[in-house]
Amino acid sequence: MLKVDLHCHSNVSDGVLAPAAVAAYARKGGVDAWALTDHDEVGGIPAARAAAREQGMRFVSGVEISVTWANQTVHLVGLQIDETNQQLTEGLAKTRQGRDARGREMAAQLEAAGIPDAYRGALKFVGNPDLLSRTHFARYLVECGACETTNEVFRRYLTEGKPGYVPHRWSSLPDAMGWIRSAGGIPVIAHPGRYKFNQTAEDALFDEFRQLGGNAIEVVTGSHTPDQYAVYAEVARRYGFRASRGTDFHAPGEARVEFDALPPLPANVTPVWHDWF
Ligand code: AMP
Ligand code: MN
Ligand code: MN
Ligand code: MN
């Protein structure tokens, strides 16, 4: 059986390894078919594709788009995209705008909470100045000793109600799905178990996604607990969605699940890649 991993980050967004190094690391973890899905950015794809080929992996070009839906951030993965498509690249450029200003506001809040200089500190961890992310702030807060781990950072800072949280309006779900569709890609709702929706809102998200032509969600992801693998496999069956799988890798040792430890999809779902390879 092919080992497929369709959700990973490089230092082109908030991962720490260059795209080619992520490819090598994934291969070492036994991956046979791989997608790079950086946040709001496709700049790493040419290098990732070349490295995947060198490593003998099948490659899927991808992206993870930040979307605002019902006042929450939802992540939409696009797979099998033509990363040169202009609607997509323009949409992503628009999505990236505002990250820097948001970062400065986050730093101002952190300063008020007793952590000075976090903007400059976060920038030290940035591989792509267009893509300043909360992850970079989290790494800095660990470096400067404010927290022990990035997990602790997201418990105490940078999330709703905590210092350093700056609400942000991303793209809309229909827009992001339109860009993916223009680029010939398949939209996938990333890690649905991570959102703080009640059941009614979650069902409304899946209904709207389906109405917009969506038909895939992540089921087995490093961002789900094992219990959630079963919950979202059932959702996939109920809605007739295909299922995706990926570590959501950001950095060696930082992952909740390493490449070789993520379980396969449950047998009772149709993989999103079932007619790709
Ligand atoms: P941003 O796009 O700048 O809002 O940053 C979002 C990123 O922060 C996600 O893609 C994760 O990599 C990271 N993140 C968010 N929440 C957590 C969390 N609770 N624990 C670890 N990383 C998180
Ligand atoms: Mn991330
Ligand atoms: Mn995500
Ligand atoms: Mn991700």
Side-chain angles (χ1 to χ4, degrees):
M1 198 171 63
L2 277 187
K3 195 154 149 177
V4 181
D5 195 303
L6 301 177
H7 190 146
C8 287
H9 298 276
S10 76
N11 63 0
V12 169
S13 64
D14 61 348
V16 302
L17 301 179
V22 183
Y25 196 78
R27 188 62 178 150
K28 234 174 60 190
V31 174
D32 303 302
W34 172 63
L36 183 70
T37 56
D38 274 313
H39 296 286
D40 307 328
E41 171 69 274
V42 290
I45 290 188
R49 180 184 289 120
R53 198 164 291 157
E54 221 164 90
Q55 298 284 338
M57 286 188 294
R58 295 165 212 231
F59 182 70
V60 174
S61 54
V63 65
E64 182 177 19
I65 306 179
S66 313
V67 161
T68 299
W69 189 86
N71 290 319
Q72 278 197 51
T73 298
V74 166
H75 285 171
L76 188 68
V77 163
L79 297 174
Q80 302 280 37
I81 48 165
D82 166 8
E83 75 275 10
T84 65
N85 175 271
Q86 202 179 336
Q87 271 106 316
L88 175 68
T89 55
E90 283 174 3
L92 295 178
K94 207 177 74 189
T95 306
R96 290 191 298 271
Q97 269 173 18
R99 277 188 175 271
D100 188 72
R102 169 191 183 234
R104 290 174 192 274
E105 273 187 65
M106 288 166 58
Q109 283 191 26
L110 290 170
E111 177 133 26
I115 302 168
D117 230 13
Y119 177 77
R120 238 182 21 177
L123 277 186
K124 286 194 302 186
F125 291 88
V126 159
N128 171 2
D130 254 14
L131 221 113
L132 178 57
S133 128
R134 283 187 292 161
T135 312
H136 302 114
F137 280 89
R139 295 198 181 114
Y140 174 66
L141 263 56
V142 171
E143 187 200 61
C144 77
C147 292
E148 293 273 320
T149 63
T150 52
N151 259 339
E152 185 190 339
V153 174
F154 284 102
R155 271 199 315 274
R156 294 176 49 201
Y157 301 96
L158 311 185
T159 46
E160 209 169 336
K162 310 287 164 61
Y165 178 70
V166 176
H168 194 72
R169 188 142 296 270
W170 305 103
S171 7
S172 73
L173 182 66
D175 282 355
M177 288 182 72
W179 306 333
I180 293 170
R181 192 64 44 68
S182 302
I186 309 290
V188 183
I189 295 181
H191 42 64
R194 256 180 63 169
Y195 311 123
K196 306 256 180 310
F197 293 126
N198 62 29
Q199 195 56 59
T200 310
E202 191 188 68
D203 286 338
L205 172 63
F206 295 140
D207 283 333
E208 183 175 336
F209 178 67
R210 187 163 56 180
Q211 259 164 29
L212 292 164
N215 80 336
I217 62 169
E218 287 185 344
V219 169
V220 173
T221 148
S223 290
H224 279 171
T225 62
D227 283 356
Q228 289 174 326
Y229 303 161
V231 169
Y232 290 98
E234 176 54 32
V235 166
R237 275 199 310 280
R238 183 148 43 92
Y239 280 84
F241 291 152
R242 299 205 169 141
S244 192
R245 172 187 187 276
T247 45
D248 207 351
F249 171 83
H250 284 75
E254 207 178 276
R256 285 182 235 186
V257 190
E258 291 288 327
F259 281 105
D260 51 5
L262 190 72
L265 284 178
N268 52 15
V269 295
T270 306
V272 64
W273 62 83
H274 90 289
D275 54 1
W276 294 357
F277 308 123

